[in-house]
Amino acid sequence: MYILGIHGNLGKAEHDPAAVLLRDGDIVAAAEEERFVRFKHAIGLMPDAAIRFCLQQAKISMREVDVVAFPRATWADFPPRLEAYLRYTFGWAPPVVYIDHHTAHAASAYLISGFDDALIVTADQAGDGTSCAAFRSRGQELELLEAVPFPDSIGLFAALVTQYLGFRSNHDEYKVMGLAPYGNPTMDLTRLLHHVDGRPRLDPHALHPTVLQRHPVFHTDQLPMFATDELPGLPLRRLPDGELTAAHRDLAASAQQSITAALLGFVDRHRAGSDRRLCLAGGVAENSVAAGALAAAGGFDEVYMTPACGDAGTALGAALLVAAQHGHRPARLTHSQLGPSFTDGQIADVLRECGVPYVETADPAATAAELIAQQQIVAWFQGRMEFGPRALGARSLLADPSTDAMRAQVNRIKRREQFRPFGPSVLAEHLPALFPATVVAPFMSFTLPTRDPTPIIAATHVDGTSRPHTVPDDGSAYRRLIEHVHARTGTPAVLNTSLNSGWEPIVATPEQALAFLYSSTADALAIGPFLVTKHRATSNDASKERR
């Protein structure tokens, strides 16, 4: 049985379209549209290219898809438009099952967690009229405990503060999270967001009228979310690219404190004494500081998060729910490499066509590790592309985390603000030496205090925290790379960030990887079995230079 989960929209301000294909209980493929069309978040689009990739990966056509699962249940005018889209674009419209948005979020975490039971909490701006929800699950059943309606939304509060600070709402919330440790949480924001017995409440008077009038068709980046340029108790709002003052940093710190308290309060509101496992999903769950607080001090044996907490993940969740209805459930998902890959021959053809010098290496992991140990910055392009917002060893930019200067160098390559932090990919068995909290973090989901920042200083934030990615002993090339780095430097980790720069999606193709290398100050590209550097190969190279 083939189940195609899709998320997207036809011209409205919906973001992160994606497609996921299941065959019974197996995830065949998953990808986000932005990677193919090179338009960050692919706002207002359906996932044409992502769907084509999924079908090609399974070697089937749309006529062989048994069910399409769509993670919206309240768009009354959408079914005939979706059917017309499928027929026009793919020549066939299979039966469509419409799934509640937050139920899809919940399923995207729980049904791949491997848990037999869990408390599940979802939070975002809004979807199908709900802004956060709690579920309790046993087996494959999800029981809704509470759905908090829009506009009482932690995600909307985060987006409003993001825009008030001069950043892009729906895009730059992580910048506010990164800025927060540079300020002090001295501002009382309870007039904007507070919680009563753990239930979040947002002051609607702080919102611009268009936010309420156009829900769920949200504002664009050109319209304000806030009612006035100076909300009560806040500094004057910052213009985009304006100076970041101490007051702005304090607002970021205060907002982060409010978001963490609100999420933890909602979890505590629904937690029963028997709840030992927690699943998190929804855009707010991508706030790794709040998620880390739950993982480190929440009293749960384990917290599991989906690799795609945002709306792209609802395509996965919707498909998983339909599969569960037919008795299928995947095993625990421990990696996110579900996207396209390229053969060695395809990569070699691109290198020759572009006319760049390269060498073929017997062990790309060892070669890349040697360069990293020599303080070079390496673009790493291997295997299937990741699904979700984070690069986790397939489309990554890597550096030595033990050298403080690397933070500034990689931020310049990424064209990011210097206050932005990085995280390390860590050999899983060495995590206790670096972090006091014991977590499993295959998707780099939790920001945690470090035990000793020295070995990973370039991947440690100003407040002594970091967001680790735990790499198990799975025999992968990425695992071997970190093992080689450990042997050469004594550090069981690498600084890992996504292979992109500026306002562009993560690199998806060999051509884009080469463009990244030659448009940045990165030193080398390890792509498949090949190494591309910005200097001519010498006689000491392991393999003969090729063109």
Side-chain angles (χ1 to χ4, degrees), residues 36-286:
F36 301 94
V37 299
R38 311 310 296 165
F39 169 31
K40 190 71 171 176
H41 297 298
I43 299 167
L45 300 181
M46 290 296 287
D48 298 14
I51 291 172
R52 289 192 180 95
F53 156 68
C54 288
L55 298 177
Q56 290 167 0
Q57 188 71 20
K59 297 181 173 59
I60 64 172
S61 71
M62 186 64 77
R63 287 182 177 272
E64 295 167 87
V65 172
D66 296 283
V67 180
V68 170
F70 192 80
R72 294 284 186 172
T74 60
W75 290 358
D77 64 338
F78 197 69
R81 298 168 65 215
L82 178 57
E83 180 179 352
Y85 160 77
L86 292 170
R87 288 188 181 279
Y88 172 75
T89 309
F90 300 100
W92 183 254
V96 180
V97 175
Y98 293 88
I99 304 292
D100 171 75
H101 185 76
H102 276 261
T103 307
H105 270 312
S108 75
Y110 173 69
L111 289 176
I112 55 171
S113 68
F115 297 160
D116 293 325
D117 58 81
L119 174 66
I120 313 168
V121 167
T122 65
D124 60 10
Q125 281 198 39
D128 283 336
T130 297
S131 60
C132 58
F135 301 79
R136 183 162 286 110
S137 58
R138 293 193 182 281
Q140 298 191 165
E141 299 296 323
L142 279 70
E143 176 193 359
L144 176 65
L145 303 177
E146 182 181 22
V148 177
F150 181 87
D152 288 329
S153 170
I154 305 170
L156 189 56
F157 168 80
L160 183 150
V161 173
T162 297
Q163 199 184 57
Y164 197 85
L165 285 169
F167 302 117
R168 290 166 291 198
S169 60
N170 291 317
H171 306 299
D172 293 341
E173 283 78 359
Y174 53 85
K175 293 186 180 181
V176 178
M177 183 175 65
L179 181 63
Y182 290 89
N184 298 302
T186 55
M187 297 180 184
D188 182 2
L189 302 183
T190 55
R191 283 174 291 183
L192 291 177
L193 177 71
H194 67 284
H195 46 96
V196 178
D197 295 329
R199 183 193 186 281
R201 295 188 182 275
L202 182 68
D203 179 10
H205 298 99
L207 300 171
H208 193 280
T210 58
V211 177
L212 298 174
Q213 292 169 359
R214 299 181 64 204
H215 173 71
V217 184
F218 283 113
H219 51 84
T220 70
D221 287 338
Q222 288 77 45
L223 289 175
M225 300 186 67
F226 41 82
T228 64
D229 282 359
E230 190 168 5
L231 293 173
L234 303 188
L236 184 68
R237 67 108 171 179
R238 172 180 175 257
L239 291 175
D241 299 320
E243 179 188 2
L244 276 170
T245 67
H248 294 137
R249 293 191 289 272
D250 290 347
L251 174 55
S254 302
Q256 179 59 59
Q257 185 180 71
S258 296
I259 292 166
T260 300
L263 185 60
L264 269 63
F266 191 66
V267 170
D268 287 342
R269 175 179 173 86
H270 292 285
R271 180 177 175 180
S274 59
D275 289 327
R276 307 306 305 165
R277 303 174 186 86
L278 174 68
C279 293
L280 293 175
V284 173
E286 289 183 354

